[in-house]
Amino acid sequence: MIETFALDWLQQREPADHAARPEGLVPVLRDALPEPGSTAIRVTDLGSGSGSNLRYLAPRLPRPQHWRLVDHDRGLLAQTRAPCGGVEIERKRCDLAAEPARALTGDEALVTGAALLDLVSRDWLQRLLSVCFTQGAAVLFALSYDGRIRWSRPHPLDADVEAWVNRHQRSDKGFGPALGPIAAATCAEQLEALGYQVQIRPSDWWIGAEQAVLGAALIEGWVGAASEVCPQRAGDLRAWGDARARALASGTVELTVGHQDVLGWR
Ligand SMILES: C[S@@+](CC[C@H](N)C(=O)[O-])C[C@H]1O[C@@H](n2cnc3c(N)ncnc32)[C@H](O)[C@@H]1O
């Protein structure tokens, strides 16, 4: 089983993703990378999708850069373009699930990924990070969902929805039992145990009326996930979703979705 992600969804979330990312991690990452020179800094982006992580990071890092974009989805990879001068891209179609290191070339200065870690298992992550450590690569995993779905005004079903969504998050997404909400914390622990220096920063989404389209898509996904976990409450969940989407669109409620970014360097 492989998780697929629609291009529409990735395009909807990109502005919220970029707004949420902690700028404070960028100078720390820059210092961890080799001095810019004639040789390109080599970056591998795991689960690159249509290139959102590339579009955020490449303009913020020294150039020249060579990005290897890895995903199993040929259609998403075909959407990727170099976002600025001095950046070369290479697309690699690959199922990452079986062996994480398969996607690496061994000479990366940075191994990165965005909105990926919550899909993977503890064992998969451990194997990936061990290889990164051995080859001396810095590691940056952005936008891992951390289990917080917080509304500015409460609804009686909010806590149940959060719990059911979070239980669904732990189900297998093709990499073994998914880390879901504990992905970033687990990554930070594993990095520290290997001997990396680590920073972990919040990258929460804030969603108000102006982001109501993204909010409606999220709510729809949560209603589906929670209904799988608790089918006997599917009717209540549908009513909750309709009420929450209306309230978000009219500006009577705002939503925070917890995410974390983790940077490891040697
Ligand atoms: C939530 S999306 C994030 C995409 C992109 N990083 C972004 O921030 O927009 C997760 C990505 O992981 C990819 N993915 C999921 N399972 C995979 C697997 N087993 N092998 C390779 N890619 C996978 C999906 O195709 C998708 O592009």
Side-chain angles (χ1 to χ4, degrees):
M1 190 259 317
I2 285 186
E3 284 278 296
T4 55
F5 292 84
L7 177 61
D8 274 5
W9 164 245
L10 298 183
Q11 287 171 338
Q12 268 167 20
R13 60 174 292 167
E14 184 162 329
D17 281 345
H18 289 195
R21 289 183 69 158
E23 286 288 333
L25 283 185
V26 174
V28 187
L29 172 59
R30 266 200 233 113
D31 286 348
L33 293 176
E35 287 289 317
S38 53
T39 314
I41 295 172
R42 300 191 77 86
V43 181
T44 289
D45 184 13
L46 301 174
S48 63
S50 57
S52 176
N53 195 23
L54 164 77
R55 282 185 286 279
Y56 175 82
L57 268 184
R60 290 169 168 80
L61 298 181
R63 288 169 252 168
Q65 300 161 27
H66 177 97
W67 281 67
R68 184 174 159 86
L69 304 168
V70 183
D71 207 287
H72 69 86
D73 190 320
R74 195 190 301 277
L76 293 178
L77 280 176
Q79 299 291 323
T80 55
R81 302 281 179 274
C84 51
V87 176
E88 189 179 72
I89 65 168
E90 174 192 349
R91 304 174 184 89
K92 169 76 179 163
R93 182 167 177 258
C94 171
D95 178 2
L96 290 164
E99 183 43 65
R102 222 174 102 195
L104 304 184
T105 52
D107 59 357
E108 290 90 349
L110 173 65
V111 175
T112 185
L116 176 76
L117 277 200
D118 32 48
L119 305 178
V120 310
S121 66
R122 182 181 293 275
D123 172 63
W124 186 94
L125 184 58
Q126 182 72 66
R127 282 186 286 144
L128 174 71
L129 298 182
S130 301
V131 176
C132 294
F133 183 78
T134 305
Q135 71 179 61
V139 169
L140 174 63
F141 284 107
L143 296 155
S144 302
Y145 169 66
D146 73 1
R148 289 175 296 129
I149 301 172
R150 299 295 147 80
W151 300 89
S152 58
R153 286 163 183 254
H155 181 289
L157 212 56
D158 290 344
D160 287 334
V161 172
E162 187 184 81
W164 293 329
V165 167
N166 289 346
R167 200 180 314 162
H168 190 274
Q169 284 271 323
R170 302 298 304 269
S171 58
D172 190 338
K173 309 290 189 303
F175 295 82
L179 287 166
I182 63 165
T186 304
C187 181
E189 272 166 32
Q190 293 183 345
L191 286 169
E192 270 165 10
L194 283 164
Y196 273 101
Q197 299 185 70
V198 178
Q199 281 203 23
I200 180 161
R201 300 262 184 110
S203 48
D204 294 351
W205 279 351
W206 178 87
I207 298 174
E210 285 175 14
Q211 296 82 18
V213 174
L214 173 65
L218 266 176
I219 290 165
E220 199 53 35
W222 291 334
V223 168
S227 300
E228 275 181 39
V229 172
C230 193
Q232 62 277 24
R233 299 292 299 278
D236 294 336
L237 285 163
R238 180 77 274 152
W240 173 88
D242 292 346
R244 278 323 204 177
R246 269 198 311 275
L248 206 52
S250 68
T252 52
V253 76
E254 289 160 1
L255 169 64
T256 301
V257 185
H259 292 94
Q260 306 278 332
D261 285 18
V262 186
L263 173 65
W265 72 101
R266 299 192 52 185

